[in-house]
Structure formats: C-alpha cells, structure tokens
Amino acid sequence: MCVVCFVKALVHVFKIYLTAHYTYNFRSWPVDFRWDEVHASSRRGSSHRALTCTAAAAGVWLLQDAALREIEPGRPLHGSRSQLQCLLQQIRELPSQLASYVLAHSLGRWLVYPGSMFLMTRALLPLLQQGQERLVERYHGRRAKLVARDGNEIDTMFMDRRQQPGSQDHGLHLVICCEGNAGFYEMGCLSAPLEAGYSVLGWNHPGFGGSTGEPFPQHDANAMDVVVKYALHRLHFPPTHVVIYGWSIGGFTATWATMTYPELGALVLDATFDDLVPLALKVMPQSWKGLVVRTVREHFNLNVAEQLCGYPGPVLLLRRTLDDVVSTSDHLRPLPSGDVEGNRGNELLLSLLQHRYPAVMASEGLAIVTRWLRAGTVAQEAAFYARYRVDDDWCLAQLRSYRARCKKEQKDEEAWGPHGLAFPWLVGQGLSPRRRRQLALFLARKHLKNVEATHCSPLEPEDFQLPWRL
C-alpha cells in the first residue's frame, strides 16, 4: 500500500513539474505557425484585406479613419492651408498628443487591459496552470505558438472534436474564442462552446499569459490575423465552419476578424459594446473628457459597431440583463434586475439593423426596436412581441421573396458575397407602418438574445447558439 501511495505522489509531483515547465518555458517553445506561411496563391480569391494592405507597416489593416476624423473636425484638408499653418497646427496639438500617449501607455493600458499586468498574471498563475492541465488532459488540447506579423508570439490552445462531432455535428464547427480584458483561454469564455461540443481554438491577447507584446488594438488585430490563418490553413477548417465568438472587449477582435475575413461562417458577440468612448467617459472624471476621447480614439479605438457592419454573415448578440460593466446607466451597482436600457449592446443591435435593413429601420422600425430593447425579461419580451401580433411566417416570406426577386433581377456578381445577397437590403419599402414595425421586431429578436447573467458569469453551454440564418 505504501508503494502505491508513493507512486501516486510521485505522479502528482511530476504533473506539477510538467505544468510549471509547460508555462515558464513557453518562450523557448518552437514556433508552430507564422503569419507569412500563407501566400497569396493559396487564398483562392479571398477578399482578406490585411494581406494586401501595404499602408499599415506595423501590421494588419485597421478601420479607424472615420473615428479619428470625429475628434478633429476642424482639421483642414491637404492643400487648403499653407504648410506653415499646418506646421503651427501640429505644434499646438503636440502637448495634447503627448499627454494622450503618456496616458495610453500607463494608466490607460492597465484600465483597458488589466489582464496584461504582471501582478495579475502572477496572482492567477496557479489557476492558469490548472486550466491548462484541464484542457490538455480532459479535452486533449494542443498548445501552439503562433508568430504574428509584428513579431509577437501568441499562445493558443486547440481542442479538436472532428473525430467525434456529436449528434448535431457541433464538432465539425470551430469556435475561435476572443477573451475579455482580464480573460485568459485557460479560464475564459471558451468553456461554453467547449462543453456544448464544438471544436474550440482559444488564444491569449498580446501580453496575456504566454503571449508576448502589449494589447493595443493594432497588436490585437495582428494576433487575430495569425489565429484565423492558423485555423484555416494549418487546422484546415473550411471558412464556412469557422465561428468567431467574442466576449466583452473581445468583440473588437471578433468583429475585426469577420470584417476582414467575410467568408467566415458566423459571429457571436457576448456582453460586448458598440464603442469604448461612452464606457471610458463613465469611469473617468468629467474634466478629463477631451483627453479621454483623444486617447481612446488614437490609441484604443475599439470601434466594434463600425466593424460589425462590415461583416455580411449571420450574427447573434447575447445581452446579459444583469450586466453593469458595459452599461452607461446612472444606477449604482449592482443594476436592478431587468434594467437593460443603458446596455451598450442595444446600440450595437441598432447599428447593425440600420445598416442591413435601412428601409425597415426608418422611423417606425427604429422607434419600436428601441422600445423593445427596454424589455429585460423573457416575459416582458414575449408580451411586447405578442402585443404587436408579429407573424413570423409572414416576415420570413417577405425576406425570402425580396432575396429571390433580387437574385432574379440583378446580374451584377458584386451584389452577391460569400453569404448571398450583400447588404444593405431595401426590403420593407412600400409596407405600411404596422408591417414595418412587425418586420423590425422580427429581425431584432432574431439577432439579439437576452441572458440572465452578470458580465463575468460563465455562459451556460445551452446559451451558446449559432446565429439565425435566413
């Protein structure tokens, strides 16, 4: 009996040693995949702009010009002023730019991405080690080191379910999980799709866990770029079988990936926001407003809604009804149950529907969806839906009829993308206000699902679903 106990203890100590070695020696881990292993000849006509954009020398292409113009409305166009005036303008802006840079690279980075702080990683190290051991032993996870185009090394973990896809073939779909600002794949949002039976690829932001670098938007997008390439070209998942799942601030990299790779199968956004500026202004002093807006726009321009509108595929938004992190409500924490009016996910849904269905979301449609978004419980939502007597079959018929009519009338191949007829759709023109309201409610309900949970509560496996498809 003592011999058996000794062997068990020895095995336990050996596991602890392996886990520690597994973590601390990741920097000497051989590189498994590089961003430049994919050549243009192997893309087969992909519309991926990051590979072809030479303007962004530091990394992949970012959608930021429109947002930057918002904070500098008085900036003159080239040629409208003399070079001397432009130089004087730049000199006048230099102090504020310097202050913005200092704030972004000190307090700002710690507030936006607290998981990159050394002390937090050190404090969470035992949990991260346990999480790695669980993923490897229970789910046969495969760890890999990827190198992004900026040289950062990205720590990833892949769980393959293709050999046992399950009765609903969930394992044939790969869910790439984008963690929050204090999340790690070892103990993050990948647990929901993993327990639901999907193949899962988790990765850590630059500066998180085993990943190197700092988690600024450009570095984050570079990391997302190599992760997607790894999934498509090394793990060999078809683009239509790849689902991007973003939780909280991970919505930025999730929407960047689907905007840049529009052929990807679906997008699920959980407890995320439309733009970082309103949330930053909520926690910073009012006297700092100008500095905060400039710092966010120039260094942390997480324009999720703008990127979301660039993806033509299926989208599902998960709104947590007890979420006080992405809410700009004036209520003191915790939020009262069902108080969802200040949730920034509302603005995300409105931006998406207004982009995709502008005729439906004009006036009556926009007003009715805004009112529907105030429903914070399943009962309230169902009652509101029933009040306007929404006929799901009629709404589906309208959408399918419009798509079929466009397919018959339009011969322009550019109008058809990887997911069919490109947006925006002009369906709803000529309908009565009552019918537009019904169609708007139908579309809102198909694109947003309420989940009774706080921001940091683990998502239940049954709440993770693939988006609706027409």
Side-chain angles (χ1 to χ4, degrees), residues 62 104-118 120-121 150 152-154 179-184 203-209 211-224 249-250 252-253 276 295-296 299-302:
L62 288 181
H105 287 77
S106 55
L107 178 62
R109 181 168 67 88
W110 299 333
L111 289 175
V112 178
Y113 289 98
S116 64
M117 296 175 63
F118 174 77
M120 175 172 285
T121 302
D150 53 15
N152 286 336
E153 298 173 350
I154 307 304
E179 298 291 344
N181 64 355
F184 303 79
W203 62 282
N204 281 333
H205 296 284
F208 284 56
S211 296
T212 63
E214 295 180 342
F216 287 96
Q218 182 69 69
H219 298 167
D220 239 5
N222 294 340
M224 188 75 235
I249 209 169
F252 169 73
T253 47
L276 185 60
T295 302
V296 170
H299 301 280
F300 298 104
N301 187 35
L302 307 184

Side-chain angles (χ1 to χ4, degrees), residues 233-285:
H233 301 283
R234 178 59 60 84
L235 303 181
H236 302 294
F237 277 88
T240 55
H241 286 193
V242 176
V243 180
I244 307 296
Y245 172 41
W247 170 62
S248 189
I249 209 169
F252 169 73
T253 47
T255 53
W256 180 90
T258 50
M259 173 191 67
T260 310
Y261 293 86
E263 65 271 21
L264 296 181
L267 172 64
V268 179
L269 296 178
D270 177 15
T272 191
F273 49 85
D274 60 324
D275 188 26
L276 185 60
V277 168
L279 298 175
L281 293 176
K282 172 187 173 183
V283 299
M284 299 299 287

Side-chain angles (χ1 to χ4, degrees), residues 302-329:
L302 307 184
N303 47 345
V304 177
E306 194 175 1
Q307 294 184 157
L308 175 61
C309 293
Y311 175 58
V315 174
L316 175 63
L317 307 180
L318 300 178
R319 182 180 66 170
R320 303 194 177 204
T321 58
L322 303 177
D323 193 338
D324 56 5
V325 175
V326 297
S327 174
T328 52
S329 174

Side-chain angles (χ1 to χ4, degrees), residues 223-407:
M224 188 75 235
D225 178 53
V226 73
V227 169
V228 174
K229 290 177 183 175
Y230 175 67
L232 297 178
H233 301 283
R234 178 59 60 84
L235 303 181
H236 302 294
F237 277 88
T240 55
H241 286 193
V242 176
V243 180
I244 307 296
Y245 172 41
W247 170 62
S248 189
I249 209 169
F252 169 73
T253 47
T255 53
W256 180 90
T258 50
M259 173 191 67
T260 310
Y261 293 86
E263 65 271 21
L264 296 181
L267 172 64
V268 179
L269 296 178
D270 177 15
T272 191
F273 49 85
D274 60 324
D275 188 26
L276 185 60
V277 168
L279 298 175
L281 293 176
K282 172 187 173 183
V283 299
M284 299 299 287
Q286 182 66 25
S287 58
W288 289 27
K289 181 177 179 179
L291 179 60
V292 169
V293 172
R294 172 180 284 275
T295 302
V296 170
R297 288 298 185 218
E298 293 186 352
H299 301 280
F300 298 104
N301 187 35
L302 307 184
N303 47 345
V304 177
E306 194 175 1
Q307 294 184 157
L308 175 61
C309 293
Y311 175 58
V315 174
L316 175 63
L317 307 180
L318 300 178
R319 182 180 66 170
R320 303 194 177 204
T321 58
L322 303 177
D323 193 338
D324 56 5
V325 175
V326 297
S327 174
T328 52
S329 174
D330 294 331
H331 290 288
L332 297 177
R333 297 183 180 185
L335 285 179
S337 178
D339 183 8
V340 293
E341 191 169 353
N343 192 298
R344 299 305 301 185
N346 301 342
E347 303 302 322
L348 198 58
L349 176 68
L350 293 176
S351 297
L352 177 65
L353 294 183
Q354 286 178 295
H355 168 73
R356 292 191 169 189
Y357 309 99
V360 174
M361 292 298 293
S363 58
E364 300 91 354
L366 177 61
I368 200 66
V369 172
T370 302
R371 291 175 58 193
W372 175 80
L373 285 169
R374 298 171 187 167
T377 65
V378 175
Q380 292 174 351
E381 181 184 339
F384 194 94
Y385 203 72
R387 176 184 174 186
Y388 286 89
R389 301 177 182 178
V390 180
D391 186 343
D392 289 1
D393 293 334
W394 177 85
C395 293
L396 282 172
Q398 288 292 312
L399 294 171
R400 289 169 178 166
S401 174
Y402 175 83
R403 183 178 61 182
R405 186 169 65 254
C406 290
K407 186 175 183 180

Side-chain angles (χ1 to χ4, degrees), residues 58 73 130 149 172 187 196 198 209-210 218 258 276 352 372 413:
Q130 293 175 12
R149 63 173 55 208
L172 300 180
M187 45 182 287
Y198 293 90
Q218 182 69 69
T258 50
L276 185 60
L352 177 65
W372 175 80
E413 294 183 358

